[in-house]
Amino acid sequence: MKKIRKGDEVIVITGKDKGKRGTVLTVAEQTVTVEGVNVVKKNMRPNPVLGVQGGIVDKVMPIQISNVALVDANGKPSRVAIQVEGRKKVRVLKATGAVLAA
């Protein structure tokens, strides 16, 4: 079970975007892509077959999963624990003890 999933609200805890908040768009093995975080300028070549116009575009790049933390109800970063309740595993915020919805 992954501690951070697609659609979670996270905050960046280190790096050039420290303090920014956003929603997780994708999750890979060790990286996540967060909406509005780690945005870079990318030079795109035009492709008439696909109808892509060339120029400079903004692109969201992945960030290390260790550099983000989930946001609790107070708006502060919190680590995540995995506990077994009955026959199910659930994610629990360590700061508040709140159970995250599946």
Side-chain angles (χ1 to χ4, degrees):
M1 173 180 270
K2 300 220 178 217
K3 294 185 177 184
I4 296 179
R5 297 182 184 171
K6 180 179 176 181
D8 285 344
E9 183 76 20
V10 295
I11 187 168
V12 179
I13 55 176
T14 62
K16 67 174 184 157
D17 292 323
K18 181 177 180 177
K20 287 189 180 178
R21 297 170 70 166
T23 305
V24 175
L25 301 174
T26 61
V27 178
E29 284 296 315
Q30 295 295 317
T31 60
V32 292
T33 305
V34 182
E35 181 180 16
V37 174
N38 201 19
V39 179
V40 298
K41 300 279 188 189
K42 179 90 172 140
N43 292 313
M44 296 297 288
R45 179 175 288 164
N47 188 343
V49 176
L50 298 176
V52 176
Q53 187 176 359
I56 301 172
V57 296
D58 291 335
K59 185 174 181 183
V60 178
M61 298 299 286
I63 186 171
Q64 287 286 321
I65 203 164
S66 63
N67 294 340
V68 297
L70 284 177
V71 177
D72 64 5
N74 301 328
K76 298 191 177 197
S78 177
R79 293 184 297 166
V80 179
I82 296 175
Q83 293 180 350
V84 178
E85 288 186 1
R87 293 184 167 209
K88 286 189 168 186
K89 289 182 179 178
V90 294
R91 297 182 301 158
V92 178
L93 293 176
K94 287 191 173 187
T96 60
V99 176
L100 295 172

